Amino acid sequence: MSDAARPSPARETEPKTAIGRFFDSDLWWSFSHSPLVIIAAIVTVVMIFSAVFAPLVAPCNPFDLAQLDLMDSLKPPAWLEGGDPRYIFGTDDQGRDIFSTILYGARISLLVGFLSVILAMLIGVTVGLIAGYTGGLTDTILMRIADVQLTFPAILIALLVDGVMRGLLPPEMHEEVAIYVLVLAIALSSWVQYARTVRSSALVERTKEYVQAAQVIGLPAPLILFRHILPNVMGPVLVIATIQLALAIIIEATLSFLGVGVPPTSPSLGTLIRIGNDYLFSGEWWITVFPGLALIILVLAVNLLGDWLRDALNPKLR
Amino acid sequence: MLFFIARRLAQSVLVMLTVAMIAFALFQYVGDPINNMVDQDTSLADRERLRQELGLNDPVPVQFWRFVKNAAHGDFGVSYRLRKPVSELIAERFPATMELSLISALLALGVGIPMGVYTALHRERLPSKLFMTLSLIGVSLPTFLIGIFLILFFGVQLRWLPTFGRGDVVHIGWWSTGLLTKTGLQSLIMPAITLAIFQMTLIVRLVRAEMLEVMRTDYIKFARARGLKTRAIHFGHALKNTLVPVITIIGLQVGSIIAFAIITESVFQWPGMGLLFVQAISEVDIPVMAAYLMLIALIFVVINLIVDILYFVIDPRLRVQS
């Protein structure tokens, strides 16, 4: 049965506004009927919110030296013996409140995650559109590069780009630009996913009549690509972006944990885990465990959202 | 078939040359090799002579050709940081990484495939749902956190297992193995599990998806209609066809295990190539980085080639087409 022959569901009132249409959509229906996804969405929103507004939410600013008291260093979580109710998750070796450092750390992690996903999306979508639309030799070369890169794990590519950038920059600049190096490294390791998806969609789109019409009236290729084809291939791109966000956060944390990511002066969750790792053997487990749990919860929530979005937008994949 | 393999080989050589060019570019444009070899007192004339002796004034293509020739002989020069030949450093650490990777690959397959088959055959049973939830959590767990939590519980709290290093090793020729001593085996347990868990979750999901796909096909229905035993259908007919794509992915997984070993080795201070590579990156030790890059690329290319050829061996339809 073709789409045209299927009777459209009868509705008593046809919603007119964009918001009304959203609440009437399949997407909203599947969202509001899966409790796990709702929880994941709430967790994600709360974590993003508290990370963005960390200076307002956090009990103290862990990087303001005036607020630190070395007498308060290495205190266990509040519910354990020797704990201080002011520091719910305890403190680290410099007397910084773990809860506050987690909020500030999540801020860096999310910043790097979002920036690298946006950059990877820009690179990937552009390459994919050009490859799919022009075809021929350009397409072959671009996709060969993508294929070769895809056989190597993203983490390895990110490590390598990071290493090369470190070599190219003078050592005294490393700390300043570490975040941007990291964003570039993660983006260059993950653009392929977007490129391949967009290319295959663009291959289909370019034969459709609206594209032919645009070509006939003499529109330049870049305009056709970005104004006409792009909006039609964005659906899958958003799904990939959500899943890639979780991956980018993991890669960032891993590189920072390995000591080649964000420097300890403005730590991300990965850097915090690295710092805490040194105290694991002397019994101060909370310095590592709470940032670790925060990282897991964040990634799990984003992954659940990504899985749901993929299934909801494309039921065939289920 | 021969044509296909020849084309694949040509592509592999092209990939290796590309990687060699990247590695060569590292030497050329990142840092000055002379500065890394001499100390501050060396005069400019001496530096110039050294430059001439090492052939750094030759045209770039000549230098590149020399680099490829040396690389093919396993010669990558001397590590800037450790002042030892890179080939020696890699050879020292190669067995540690290979043992860790191999054991965790076996672990991931040995547990992952049965779990995948079970969850596909009994979708509604409680253990299946539990396995699937665990695998989602497994995908979201960064490898290094698994390692840290294992260290915390089994190393620090319970004190059952050693938390770093390889334990005692036995040397057999140039190969050093930790599989023959008690401390060696004990040291292997936690790193192997850490490395295996992520691969395991992928294998469970893959085997499950493939198995579900195969169970829907007509020949399975026909086998049922013939009145074959459920056991025979599941393991004789379904599983065999499931394994075709699974083997391909497993080949590629071996490569990613070696890459993920970098993280595991850092967590457990496992004296393998990955740890060497991470230290090289933070110190910008170009020769070690270049050598590791070439070695990993070689391993990946060889595995890809084997997987492509395996396709032909396993799937008779491909042989007919070509």
Side-chain angles (χ1 to χ4, degrees):
Chain A
M1 188 163 59
S2 75
D3 277 331
R6 194 179 293 156
S8 61
R11 291 188 184 122
E12 288 178 8
T13 53
E14 201 66 41
K16 299 268 187 309
T17 62
I19 297 170
R21 275 208 307 275
F22 173 72
F23 282 110
D24 204 44
S25 67
D26 295 345
L27 207 59
W28 176 251
W29 191 90
S30 91
F31 179 80
S32 56
H33 283 74
S34 39
L36 197 61
V37 175
I38 296 179
I39 296 172
I42 293 173
V43 169
T44 312
V45 169
V46 166
M47 287 192 90
I48 291 176
F49 183 84
S50 51
V52 170
F53 296 101
L56 302 174
V57 181
C60 57
N61 180 356
F63 306 105
D64 178 8
L65 292 175
Q67 288 186 31
L68 296 183
D69 188 352
L70 272 179
M71 294 291 285
D72 285 340
S73 65
L74 296 177
K75 283 217 184 289
W79 59 89
L80 289 180
E81 199 178 327
D84 189 323
R86 281 183 302 160
Y87 308 117
I88 173 164
F89 290 157
T91 59
D92 68 3
D93 56 324
Q94 294 173 43
R96 294 188 291 211
D97 175 34
I98 299 284
F99 180 62
S100 307
T101 54
I102 288 176
L103 291 181
Y104 279 85
R107 209 178 164 165
I108 306 277
S109 292
L110 282 166
L111 180 73
V112 173
F114 274 113
L115 286 182
S116 56
V117 164
I118 291 170
L119 187 59
M121 194 150 73
L122 285 177
I123 302 172
V125 168
T126 311
V127 170
L129 279 178
I130 292 173
Y133 186 71
T134 42
L137 192 63
T138 325
D139 181 37
T140 315
I141 293 174
L142 287 175
M143 284 305 116
R144 239 358 357 198
I145 296 172
D147 281 346
V148 170
Q149 189 179 330
L150 209 61
T151 53
F152 296 90
I155 191 92
L156 196 65
I157 308 249
L159 261 173
L160 192 74
V161 175
D162 194 271
V164 172
M165 295 295 287
R166 274 165 179 272
L168 288 173
L169 295 165
E172 59 273 12
M173 276 178 68
H174 282 178
E175 294 217 339
E176 265 172 71
V177 297
I179 286 188
Y180 306 106
V181 170
L182 210 50
V183 168
L184 189 68
I186 298 172
L188 286 181
S189 72
S190 57
W191 62 275
V192 178
Q193 304 283 348
Y194 302 95
R196 284 168 68 105
T197 314
V198 169
R199 172 184 171 267
S200 60
S201 312
L203 274 178
V204 177
E205 294 294 323
R206 75 167 176 188
T207 57
K208 288 194 179 164
E209 279 174 355
Y210 74 92
V211 176
Q212 286 171 354
Q215 285 166 337
V216 166
I217 59 172
L219 290 182
L223 197 69
I224 299 178
L225 281 178
F226 290 97
R227 283 286 291 282
H228 297 267
I229 296 181
L230 184 60
N232 289 308
V233 300
M234 274 313 272
V237 170
L238 289 179
V239 174
I240 299 176
T242 320
I243 295 168
Q244 288 289 326
L245 177 63
L247 207 62
I249 294 173
I250 289 187
I251 295 181
E252 185 279 327
T254 306
L255 293 188
S256 293
F257 173 76
L258 293 177
V260 293
V262 182
T265 42
S266 57
S268 70
L269 290 176
T271 323
L272 291 176
I273 296 165
R274 175 188 175 78
I275 296 170
N277 199 27
D278 296 337
Y279 293 89
L280 213 54
F281 297 100
S282 48
E284 283 97 16
W285 51 268
W286 56 89
I287 307 178
T288 315
V289 168
F290 291 117
L293 287 178
L295 180 65
I296 293 174
I297 292 170
L298 180 62
V299 172
L300 192 60
V302 176
N303 260 341
L304 279 169
L305 281 182
D307 271 7
W308 159 75
L309 200 61
R310 184 191 56 201
D311 293 348
L313 290 180
N314 189 355
K316 265 183 273 175
L317 283 175
R318 203 170 303 176
Chain B
M1 167 107 186
L2 261 178
F3 172 72
F4 173 82
I5 291 181
R7 213 180 66 188
R8 271 308 195 196
L9 262 175
Q11 276 174 2
S12 307
V13 171
L14 208 65
V15 170
M16 283 311 290
L17 275 179
T18 315
V19 175
M21 257 158 90
I22 296 173
F24 175 70
L26 282 177
F27 273 108
Q28 282 286 306
Y29 303 111
V30 181
D32 181 5
I34 298 291
N35 276 347
N36 286 299
M37 284 177 197
V38 298
D39 48 26
Q40 304 230 311
D41 303 330
T42 319
S43 70
L44 276 177
D46 282 343
R47 285 178 191 227
E48 198 45 50
R49 212 187 52 233
L50 193 59
R51 198 175 286 276
Q52 193 67 42
E53 272 172 23
L54 289 172
L56 292 175
N57 291 334
D58 294 349
V60 172
V62 176
Q63 290 194 48
F64 179 60
W65 175 240
R66 194 183 307 131
F67 174 80
V68 172
K69 258 198 328 209
N70 286 341
H73 288 104
D75 177 10
F76 287 92
V78 178
S79 158
Y80 295 162
R81 188 171 59 96
L82 297 163
R83 309 269 161 199
K84 278 165 94 178
V86 175
S87 49
E88 208 174 285
L89 286 171
I90 298 252
E92 235 169 60
R93 287 162 172 253
F94 185 73
T97 298
M98 286 326 273
E99 272 181 10
L100 176 61
S101 305
L102 222 66
I103 296 289
S104 26
L106 288 177
L107 193 65
L109 292 177
V111 181
I113 292 181
M115 260 164 87
V117 171
Y118 182 86
T119 48
L121 292 181
H122 311 286
R123 287 174 74 181
E124 299 306 320
R125 283 198 202 160
L126 193 66
S128 303
K129 290 184 171 162
L130 193 73
F131 287 159
M132 290 316 287
T133 314
L134 282 179
S135 86
L136 183 68
I137 297 174
V139 172
S140 305
L141 270 179
T143 311
F144 67 97
L145 270 179
I146 301 173
I148 288 177
F149 285 142
L150 284 178
I151 288 181
L152 187 63
F153 285 116
F154 296 106
V156 179
Q157 301 284 337
L158 298 170
R159 298 186 179 281
W160 285 354
L161 295 168
T163 54
F164 64 90
R166 259 185 109 186
D168 298 323
V169 290
V170 178
H171 290 274
I172 305 170
W174 63 276
W175 188 276
S176 64
T177 179
L179 298 176
L180 297 175
T181 61
K182 189 165 166 251
T183 54
L185 286 172
Q186 279 176 334
S187 304
L188 188 62
I189 295 175
M190 286 203 291
I193 292 176
T194 307
L195 191 49
I197 281 183
F198 185 74
Q199 312 297 331
M200 205 188 291
T201 52
L202 288 182
I203 291 170
V204 170
R205 291 178 155 241
L206 183 80
V207 172
R208 177 177 178 271
E210 283 299 329
M211 192 88 179
L212 285 175
E213 196 71 29
V214 172
M215 292 301 284
R216 261 185 238 134
T217 52
D218 286 340
Y219 81 95
I220 295 291
K221 281 183 199 143
F222 182 62
R224 273 196 217 292
R226 271 157 65 206
L228 291 181
K229 288 217 170 63
T230 321
R231 237 190 129 69
I233 297 173
H234 287 165
F235 296 99
H237 291 71
L239 187 61
K240 222 159 99 190
N241 272 306
T242 305
L243 290 180
V244 179
V246 169
I247 286 173
T248 323
I249 305 280
I250 287 166
L252 298 176
Q253 290 293 320
V254 173
S256 87
I257 280 186
I258 293 173
F260 274 96
I262 298 172
I263 305 162
T264 313
E265 286 175 9
S266 297
V267 175
F268 291 96
Q269 293 298 306
W270 187 264
M273 296 187 297
L275 194 60
L276 189 72
F277 181 58
V278 169
Q279 285 161 351
I281 284 185
S282 51
E283 307 261 333
V284 198
D285 191 347
I286 303 292
V288 175
M289 275 167 72
Y292 182 82
L293 184 66
M294 295 285 288
L295 186 66
I296 289 287
L298 184 67
I299 293 175
F300 272 80
V301 162
V302 170
I303 290 174
N304 269 321
L305 206 61
I306 293 174
V307 165
D308 279 335
I309 295 170
L310 266 185
Y311 252 158
F312 273 87
V313 179
I314 296 171
D315 195 339
R317 282 170 301 185
L318 284 174
R319 280 193 297 249
V320 177
Q321 272 171 15
S322 71

